[in-house]
Amino acid sequence: MDEELERDERVFLLGEEVAQYDGAYKVSRGLWKKYGDQRIIDTPITEMGFTGIAVGAAMAGLRPICEFMTFNFSMQAIDQVINSAAKTCYMSAGLQSVPIVFRGPNGSSAGVAAQHSQCFAAWYGHCPGLKVVSPWSAEDARGLLKAAIRDDNPVVFLENELMYGVPFEMSEESQSKDFTIPIGKAKVERQGSHVTLVAHSRYVSHCLDAAAVLSKEGVECEVVNLRSIRPLDMECIEASVMKTNHLVTVEGGWPQFGVGAEICARIMEGPAFNYLDAPVTRVSGVDIPMPYAKILEDNSVPQIKDIIFTVKKTLNI
Amino acid sequence: MKRVLTAISNAFSRVTGKNAGSQTVSEGARAVVSPRTSDYTPQATFDVKKCDLHRLEEGPPERVELTREQGLHYYRTMQTVRRMELKADQLYKQKIIRGFCHLYDGQEACAMGIEAAINPTDHVITAYRAHGYTYTRGGSVQKILAELTGRKGGIAKGKGGSMHMYAPNFYGGNGIVGAQVPLGAGIALACKYQGNGQVCVALYGDGAANQGQIFESFNMAALWKLPCIFVCENNKYGMGTSVERSSASTDYFRRGDFVPGLRVDGMDVLCVREATKFAADHCRAGKGPILMELQTYRYHGHSMSDPGVGYRTREEVQEVRSKSDPITMLKDRMLSNSMAAVEEFKEIDTEIRKEIEEAALFATTDPEPALDDLCSHIFHNEPPLEVRGTNPWSKLQSIS
């Protein structure tokens, strides 16, 4: 964000505690000190209002980054995201663009209970007019955020609180000021030949961990990091499935109408269907509001053992 | 001798409107202790701060009666909440409590004052700083702490956590800022609809006070004359943002516009009680909603993840603690009017300490909820249904 703020003076950040508090999760640390009140704005706790304000500013030529302290609070403002931001370019037949980024942590955390743990990938991924990205690695976060800020369209940028503290190795190229990752393109994080695992955000880590365990048993998983929810990179997934003949999707969100459900439908509509040796299976969060107690919470989200179990069932081993 | 001292100290109270008497009563008077309760002043009158009024001709009384019994009860309740919150702080630092934990210490007079003025059949709803209200509404310390530690003996069986505790006629414990206010207006609508003469106290903070849905609630409550007491607990900071930085008008008691309002000293349990009585009478008389702003303070940061010193000075916190602590204020008033002995308060403190320790022991030894319970309580009054687990072969059961 610092680099993009420096590069383009139309870019500014607004949200709760982003300025003087340095960010609720310290993501915007140092920015207010460097850029001041006009470009880093602390808002009152009024999501519907400040999201509308952000969208309006985008319509009038600025490039706002609108932070939700968590995406759970974006529900208060979802009308502005969908009806005011997503649909406007279409409704105006291209006359009015909305170059805005909505970002913040998405999905479950640790012990924050039902109202603070929902994954919104499926909800936002459902709507035309939005681009929706869900980074996993530090490289993803950096490249996709820069791409999102430079994009002339509304982008929903789904971060993950538990991933904020996870360190990653980064190439020199990925540390350059102009490093961007194209929105709508997935990345194969691990090559494999027996089964394709597709995930986004934190669950890419789970898939890689499961793949390491399965490798010892002679099962080689190909792990696809979606990076983008909308557009979905079906070409990448299909190419992988045509190689491995098996597909397991993994997500933290609820199963019904989820990211995995969409992938299943599209696989059936495309060329990869005929290469499947078994039905596609989905690993997802349990279909309940998130409980608080640790033992219940741990069993409400996909664990590595669930992925391993599902792979073996899919491969019939 | 005691009667003379009592009269002098009452006179001081009348003149200054504070418990200044406690500073001028000599040490010798305090040493005179009688074990018989009949030696204590059974009832005294105190001055409370005048409430600022909005669209009201007159406000609650400024001279307030307190009986010895009431005083000891308020002391016990507030001190229990205080100690319970401090125990929660300790357990959180030991990582036995996880996730969000928003503590109420400093604000006890609000919860106690409100509860003292309403009936158990009235209704209360608040946001996430809810442990105090869960207690005043009837939840036990044991069940509250066990909920924080995520055990099956918790008030929500471990499924809700800090922000989602419920009790009879207490609707939580709500995590989304501001959302509880329309809910409160709705509860008030149900009261009016059922003609039961009950009122709903709908609480929110200074941070939430700017939420649009609160103004929507004011409008409908006024239009339909709902028996709703809107209460803004103004503790001066919405997380890290001071009221001056979040609100174009910090006169929260006036923000209801057409809804009459009062600004109340939220550190004085008697002031809160009288104001709430006044507000409840207003609602029960069918006059529609009313708004109370309680000026209060939280000693802890916003939550256990917030050190609470980035946006305010340690001196400020210390000053409030030493000059305006609600529990100290009540105790000093009672002592300077010989309504109780120092030893009695000490004894109450000891009893509370024991209660908290026992509750904490339960909260740390009670087992976690059973995995069988994972999917229960999705619906109410439903036949058992099958719930998808993390994969298609995982079929779980949900019981109502």
Side-chain angles (χ1 to χ4, degrees):
Chain A
M1 282 195 286
D2 189 0
E3 289 166 5
E4 296 305 299
L5 282 156
E6 206 174 85
R7 176 182 178 268
D8 186 339
E9 60 185 22
R10 297 169 300 168
V11 176
F12 71 100
L13 171 68
L14 90 171
E16 293 154 13
E17 311 294 354
V18 297
Q20 295 188 23
Y21 198 82
D22 270 339
Y25 299 99
K26 306 302 174 207
V27 177
S28 56
R29 183 188 275 132
L31 294 182
W32 175 66
K33 217 171 176 183
K34 184 171 174 184
Y35 294 101
D37 285 334
Q38 177 162 279
R39 302 190 69 197
I40 312 291
I41 304 175
D42 272 340
T43 62
I45 310 174
T46 50
E47 276 78 3
M48 180 72 122
F50 73 66
T51 306
I53 283 177
V55 174
M59 289 176 175
L62 298 183
R63 302 186 74 92
I65 304 170
C66 176
E67 178 178 303
F68 292 119
M69 197 182 280
T70 77
F71 265 94
N72 300 286
F73 314 144
S74 75
M75 278 203 285
Q76 287 210 337
I78 202 163
D79 174 67
Q80 298 288 10
V81 177
I82 307 301
N83 278 327
S84 301
K87 298 178 184 173
T88 294
C89 186
Y90 182 88
M91 293 189 293
S92 66
L95 278 175
Q96 178 67 69
S97 70
V98 187
I100 187 168
V101 175
F102 302 102
R103 51 160 290 274
N106 175 57
S108 64
S109 175
V112 293
Q115 291 178 337
H116 289 78
S117 306
Q118 192 167 330
C119 175
F120 289 86
W123 283 30
Y124 288 116
H126 187 61
C127 301
L130 280 183
K131 297 190 184 182
V132 182
V133 298
S134 185
W136 164 64
S137 64
E139 183 182 299
D140 288 352
R142 194 178 150 68
L144 286 170
L145 186 54
K146 280 164 158 313
I149 294 170
R150 297 182 193 194
D151 200 306
D152 290 333
N153 296 290
V155 181
V156 170
F157 192 86
L158 304 170
E159 299 166 11
N160 187 290
E161 195 205 324
L162 297 173
M163 295 306 288
Y164 283 150
V166 179
F168 286 87
E169 296 242 340
M170 290 181 78
S171 65
E172 239 190 81
E173 188 215 342
S174 69
Q175 294 182 67
S176 95
K177 284 196 175 161
D178 282 316
F179 173 72
T180 59
I181 290 177
I183 294 178
K185 289 273 167 273
K187 180 178 179 215
V188 178
E189 300 287 350
R190 182 189 194 277
Q191 299 270 354
S193 48
H194 298 125
V195 59
T196 302
L197 300 178
V198 176
H200 68 101
S201 187
R202 186 163 161 249
Y203 293 93
V204 177
S205 297
H206 284 52
C207 287
L208 289 170
D209 290 345
V213 174
L214 285 161
S215 178
K216 296 199 185 105
E217 299 179 43
V219 176
E220 293 303 328
C221 302
E222 180 144 294
V223 178
V224 175
N225 168 11
L226 276 176
R227 286 180 160 178
S228 294
I229 305 291
R230 188 179 185 103
L232 207 48
D233 189 354
M234 283 311 295
E235 263 177 45
C236 177
I237 301 173
E238 283 165 345
S240 177
V241 171
M242 293 196 284
K243 187 174 71 164
T244 66
N245 312 119
H246 298 86
L247 176 57
V248 174
T249 68
V250 184
E251 66 198 291
W254 296 315
Q256 194 155 320
F257 305 104
V259 174
E262 175 65 14
I263 293 174
C264 286
R266 297 242 215 138
I267 285 284
M268 284 195 278
E269 293 169 349
F273 175 72
N274 292 305
Y275 289 76
L276 283 173
D277 286 346
V280 180
T281 44
R282 304 171 293 159
V283 177
S284 69
V286 176
D287 200 18
I288 54 174
M290 183 67 72
Y292 166 69
K294 186 169 194 328
I295 192 174
L296 297 182
E297 187 180 47
D298 287 348
N299 283 281
S300 301
V301 293
Q303 298 180 50
I304 293 165
K305 64 177 167 77
D306 296 321
I307 302 173
I308 294 171
F309 172 82
T310 304
V311 165
K312 288 184 173 176
K313 282 287 242 188
T314 304
L315 293 175
N316 216 3
I317 51 175
Chain B
M1 177 62 177
K2 213 198 282 288
R3 256 186 271 270
V4 173
L5 284 170
T6 306
I8 292 172
S9 123
N10 276 349
F12 271 104
S13 296
R14 264 193 289 275
V15 166
T16 63
K18 289 189 193 173
N19 55 331
S22 68
Q23 267 100 37
T24 55
V25 170
S26 68
E27 277 305 301
R30 291 236 179 116
V32 174
V33 166
S34 171
R36 289 172 297 165
T37 54
S38 58
D39 278 357
Y40 295 116
T41 315
Q43 188 167 301
T45 309
F46 296 97
D47 289 320
V48 299
K49 263 195 204 139
K50 183 174 191 299
C51 296
D52 292 320
L53 303 175
H54 171 70
R55 287 190 193 263
L56 284 166
E57 289 301 312
E58 36 171 53
E62 289 159 55
R63 289 190 50 69
V64 173
E65 306 262 302
L66 175 71
T67 68
R68 181 184 132 83
E69 216 173 80
Q70 286 167 345
L72 290 174
H73 171 63
Y74 302 162
Y75 177 85
R76 182 184 288 273
T77 304
M78 293 197 289
Q79 187 73 294
T80 303
V81 173
R82 173 70 57 92
R83 291 279 162 84
M84 177 178 75
E85 295 295 77
L86 294 178
K87 176 56 74 175
D89 168 281
Q90 201 181 72
L91 292 170
Y92 194 93
K93 288 174 174 152
Q94 293 172 320
K95 301 197 195 292
I96 299 171
I97 297 177
R98 41 196 288 277
F100 291 136
C101 190
H102 308 87
L103 299 179
Y104 197 66
D105 51 314
Q107 301 184 212
E108 297 87 353
C110 298
M112 184 65 252
I114 288 173
E115 192 61 36
I118 60 175
N119 306 318
T121 46
D122 288 320
H123 310 264
V124 175
I125 186 170
T126 187
Y128 46 74
R129 200 172 302 281
H131 309 157
Y133 288 98
T134 313
Y135 180 73
T136 54
R137 286 262 93 193
S140 68
V141 178
Q142 183 175 286
K143 284 183 126 78
I144 292 170
L145 289 182
E147 186 59 35
L148 292 176
T149 58
R151 308 299 163 109
K152 70 180 194 354
I155 205 164
K157 304 192 165 91
K159 296 174 125 178
S162 169
M163 299 180 289
H164 308 293
M165 298 191 187
Y166 300 81
N169 293 345
F170 175 61
Y171 305 79
N174 292 276
I176 306 300
V177 171
Q180 74 280 9
V181 178
L183 295 181
I187 294 163
L189 185 143
C191 293
K192 180 170 180 179
Y193 188 107
Q194 293 166 338
N196 54 30
Q198 292 159 10
V199 301
C200 180
V201 181
L203 294 128
Y204 59 97
D206 49 276
N210 299 307
Q211 279 264 321
Q213 54 190 325
I214 292 185
F215 296 94
E216 294 181 24
S217 306
F218 290 158
N219 182 51
M220 284 182 274
L223 214 46
W224 301 332
K225 290 208 166 15
L226 303 182
C228 192
I229 305 173
F230 295 104
V231 180
C232 177
E233 280 182 293
N234 177 4
N235 62 17
K236 306 187 183 21
Y237 299 96
M239 196 158 154
T241 306
S242 66
V243 292
E244 292 77 31
R245 293 206 305 124
S246 74
S247 309
S249 162
T250 54
D251 288 337
Y252 297 106
F253 72 111
R254 282 202 243 268
R255 301 280 295 273
D257 190 4
F258 38 78
V259 176
L262 355 155
R263 180 157 51 195
V264 180
D265 178 0
M267 302 306 267
D268 179 351
V269 67
L270 296 180
C271 195
V272 176
R273 187 188 74 185
E274 291 312 300
T276 309
K277 264 193 199 146
F278 177 88
D281 288 343
H282 175 102
C283 289
R284 283 191 236 274
K287 295 181 185 169
I290 189 167
L291 204 170
M292 286 197 319
E293 175 191 339
L294 305 181
Q295 298 203 298
T296 184
Y297 199 83
R298 53 163 163 83
Y299 294 145
H300 268 82
H302 163 74
S303 72
M304 288 303 296
S305 321
D306 169 35
V309 289
Y311 47 87
R312 57 185 189 173
T313 61
R314 281 184 218 273
E315 287 72 41
E316 179 187 285
V317 184
Q318 246 322 98
E319 171 138 2
V320 177
R321 251 193 226 278
S322 55
K323 300 217 177 107
S324 317
D325 184 273
I327 300 174
T328 308
M329 194 196 294
L330 175 65
K331 181 168 153 188
D332 286 350
R333 270 178 166 156
M334 290 184 71
L335 285 175
S336 62
N337 283 271
S338 308
M339 294 177 82
V342 173
E343 280 68 25
E344 283 185 279
F345 289 114
K346 284 209 171 91
E347 207 181 296
I348 294 175
D349 287 353
T350 307
E351 283 164 18
I352 292 171
R353 194 169 300 126
K354 181 161 175 284
E355 185 187 349
I356 306 288
E357 283 307 319
E358 281 170 11
L361 181 64
F362 176 82
T364 48
T365 53
D366 196 44
E368 286 191 286
L371 278 179
D372 286 344
D373 200 36
L374 180 68
C375 299
S376 300
H377 313 115
I378 296 177
F379 288 120
H380 184 65
N381 272 349
E382 273 290 292
L385 69 130
E386 198 175 83
V387 172
R388 189 194 201 271
T390 57
N391 62 72
W393 296 276
S394 169
K395 297 184 208 287
L396 309 171
Q397 270 279 309
S398 173
I399 322 267
S400 261

